[in-house]
Amino acid sequence: MNVPFLDLKAQYKSIYDEVNLAIQEVLDNTAYAGGPFVREFEKNYAKYCDCKFAIGVSSGTSAIWLTLLAMSIGPGDEVITVPNTFIATVEAISFTGAKPVFVDVDEKTYNMDPQKLESAITTKTKAVIPVHLYGQMADMDPIIEIARRHHLYVLEDSAQAQGAKYKGKKAGSLGDAGCFSFYPGKNLGAYGEAGAIVTNNRQIAERVKMLRDHGQPQKYCHDYIGWNSRMDGIQGAVLNVKLKYIDQWNKKRRDHATLYSRLLSGTDSIVLPFVPEPAEPIFHIYAIRMKNRDVMLESLKENQVHCGIHYPISIHLTKAYQFLNLPRGSFPVAEQIADEELSLPMFPELTIDQIQYVVNALRKVI
Ligand SMILES: *Cc1c(COP(=O)(O)O)cnc(C)c1O
């Protein structure tokens, strides 16, 4: 048996006719950049996220960047986030001219530790970006409470959390804005690059809408210096089809996670995912932790089981962010996760036999 980390072909097969037809419709209407298919998706996605507004953009990275710009964040400001994220979260902060500031994460949930947040706030802090890592939401109540007390914006990096919930509320709907990625490998994946912002704040929504389209409320009337970050029509059409299935796909991921955890329980050398009471995760990634992770990764590969690491280097230790002068030891929990985390194969179409095979391979190596 060969178990891939992700199998996008299996999903394409399951919606082949429907999605091909949707793409054909975009071609027939030559609605390539923005346009009616994107607007239709925005309407549906806002509703799905229980938010008033959704704005489709060209990627998750642009979604975060444009939202920070819409919050008037720029040079001289500080934005707080976590070091164990995909670099895009931090790049988006840097691209506004603001300085990224990190707080370490909780050792059980791997998400922002609210207890460490307050001491990172300075007079320059303007916003906090909790990342809903692996599809499990950060502990939003205390984060929002602290942010409100200090008059900070809260931007939820929901790139890995389409449909995840916290105390019954959807990812992206709790803070001032939520930013999503529809990169093909995400739970709701486009057939190219795409992203979105959701918010209940009309001012943020209107500014992001203008910023993604050269700062123009109407054609050739430029109120702001904007950028070109529109969503493609084809991506809007594909996402409209796939949005109908996201809940059932997420449920399958949850079922797979439950099975993994059941089959792996009692293995002393492996730390399994921890799901706290208020969270309903969607398992974008099923993350386990162990010593000698790199040996395990290689041995599993020899057994045709393909895993990932999310992420092998904490952002403050990357070459790109060396100028922040944050040496190893600055964020011990995030660093330990980077050293020990292993992402097992996870996608909705994964079979019970494949899960069993992965678990057997793991046990064999142990
Ligand atoms: C994927 C991802 C992004 C960036 O999204 P793109 O669509 O790839 O630009 C941002 N943050 C997190 C946590 C991600 O996983």
Side-chain angles (χ1 to χ4, degrees), residues 58-64 84-91 131-134 157-161 179-184 186 192-196 284-285 310-311:
S58 56
S59 72
T61 311
S62 331
I64 303 169
N84 61 329
T85 179
F86 181 56
I87 195 167
T89 321
V90 190
E91 285 173 324
V131 177
H132 303 320
L133 197 71
Y134 308 148
D157 184 338
S158 310
Q160 305 185 0
C179 293
F180 291 87
S181 164
F182 305 121
Y183 178 76
K186 298 285 159 74
E193 305 278 354
H284 171 57
I285 280 165
H310 298 88
Y311 297 88

Side-chain angles (χ1 to χ4, degrees), residues 5 18 22 148 294:
F5 178 64
E18 199 179 0
R148 292 289 170 259
D294 295 330

Side-chain angles (χ1 to χ4, degrees), residues 66-81:
L66 297 181
T67 304
L68 291 172
L69 291 178
M71 293 168 170
S72 300
I73 286 162
D77 296 334
E78 292 178 358
V79 177
I80 298 175
T81 190

Side-chain angles (χ1 to χ4, degrees), residues 51 63 67 154-158 171-173 175-180 196-199:
C51 280
T67 304
V154 176
L155 187 165
E156 296 172 60
D157 184 338
S158 310
S173 72
D176 297 288
C179 293
F180 291 87
I197 295 103
V198 300
T199 181

Side-chain angles (χ1 to χ4, degrees), residues 4 8 21 25 32 55 80 101 113 126 131 137-138 168 214 240 273 279 281 284 301 310-311 315 319 335 338:
L8 293 179
L21 205 68
E25 215 183 326
Y32 304 130
I55 302 106
I80 298 175
V101 172
D113 186 344
K126 290 281 154 44
V131 177
M137 289 181 66
H214 305 291
N240 261 324
H284 171 57
K301 205 155 119 194
H310 298 88
Y311 297 88
I315 304 302
K319 201 170 159 195
E335 290 165 20

Side-chain angles (χ1 to χ4, degrees), residues 4 7 32 46 92-93 115 141 148 153 163 181 185 230 274 282-283 289 307 315 321 328 332 357 365:
D7 185 355
Y32 304 130
I93 298 169
Q115 297 195 357
D141 279 354
R148 292 289 170 259
Y153 283 114
S181 164
R230 294 179 297 252
F274 170 75
I282 55 160
F283 290 96
R289 234 161 20 87
C307 298
I315 304 302
Y321 280 101
R328 185 166 261 282
Y357 183 82
V365 179

Side-chain angles (χ1 to χ4, degrees), residues 59-341:
S59 72
T61 311
S62 331
I64 303 169
W65 176 52
L66 297 181
T67 304
L68 291 172
L69 291 178
M71 293 168 170
S72 300
I73 286 162
D77 296 334
E78 292 178 358
V79 177
I80 298 175
T81 190
V82 291
N84 61 329
T85 179
F86 181 56
I87 195 167
T89 321
V90 190
E91 285 173 324
I93 298 169
S94 295
F95 254 55
T96 67
K99 181 186 169 193
V101 172
F102 299 112
V103 296
D104 210 350
V105 292
D106 178 88
E107 58 186 23
K108 278 189 169 152
T109 64
Y110 313 151
N111 277 326
M112 180 178 279
D113 186 344
Q115 297 195 357
K116 294 182 184 139
L117 174 57
E118 197 139 21
S119 59
I121 296 171
T122 72
T123 52
K124 293 178 180 169
T125 311
K126 290 281 154 44
V128 184
I129 310 184
V131 177
H132 303 320
L133 197 71
Y134 308 148
Q136 176 159 296
M137 289 181 66
D139 195 4
M140 292 305 289
D141 279 354
I143 292 172
I144 288 174
E145 188 274 317
I146 293 164
R148 292 289 170 259
R149 217 158 7 86
H150 292 269
H151 308 289
L152 310 177
Y153 283 114
V154 176
L155 187 165
E156 296 172 60
D157 184 338
S158 310
Q160 305 185 0
Q162 301 90 346
K165 287 182 188 167
Y166 173 89
K167 298 190 179 172
K169 290 184 193 151
K170 284 269 176 76
S173 72
L174 287 95
D176 297 288
C179 293
F180 291 87
S181 164
F182 305 121
Y183 178 76
K186 298 285 159 74
N187 285 31
L188 182 61
Y191 288 179
E193 305 278 354
I197 295 103
V198 300
T199 181
N200 287 311
N201 181 317
R202 180 177 294 275
Q203 196 193 346
I204 290 174
E206 282 174 0
R207 288 186 83 173
V208 168
K209 239 180 189 168
M210 282 195 264
L211 287 168
R212 75 164 170 189
D213 193 18
H214 305 291
Q216 51 186 5
Q218 62 197 66
K219 203 161 184 166
Y220 301 130
C221 178
H222 307 279
D223 291 1
Y224 298 93
I225 300 172
W227 201 249
N228 178 357
S229 292
R230 294 179 297 252
M231 183 189 277
D232 287 348
I234 287 179
Q235 306 315 333
V238 168
L239 290 167
N240 261 324
V241 171
K242 293 185 76 174
L243 186 58
K244 291 190 270 182
Y245 301 98
I246 183 68
D247 283 341
Q248 87 190 45
W249 287 332
N250 280 345
K251 182 183 178 301
K252 284 194 177 152
R253 287 173 182 267
R254 265 197 297 271
D255 290 347
H256 299 333
T258 306
L259 184 57
Y260 267 134
S261 291
R262 189 159 61 75
L263 296 174
L264 285 169
S265 70
T267 319
D268 292 343
S269 50
I270 295 179
V271 181
L272 300 176
F274 170 75
V275 180
E277 194 62 48
E280 285 174 57
I282 55 160
F283 290 96
H284 171 57
I285 280 165
Y286 183 87
I288 60 175
R289 234 161 20 87
M290 71 193 68
K291 308 282 174 204
N292 302 320
R293 181 266 324 271
D294 295 330
V295 179
M296 176 63 85
L297 182 73
E298 279 312 304
S299 310
L300 287 175
K301 205 155 119 194
E302 280 160 25
N303 284 284
Q304 312 296 329
V305 173
H306 302 275
C307 298
I309 298 173
H310 298 88
Y311 297 88
I313 308 173
S314 285
I315 304 302
H316 65 288
L317 298 177
T318 59
K319 201 170 159 195
Y321 280 101
Q322 259 169 30
F323 69 94
L324 292 174
N325 288 317
L326 296 165
R328 185 166 261 282
S330 302
F331 306 101
V333 183
E335 290 165 20
Q336 189 183 4
I337 295 165
D339 292 341
E340 298 183 353
E341 192 271 347

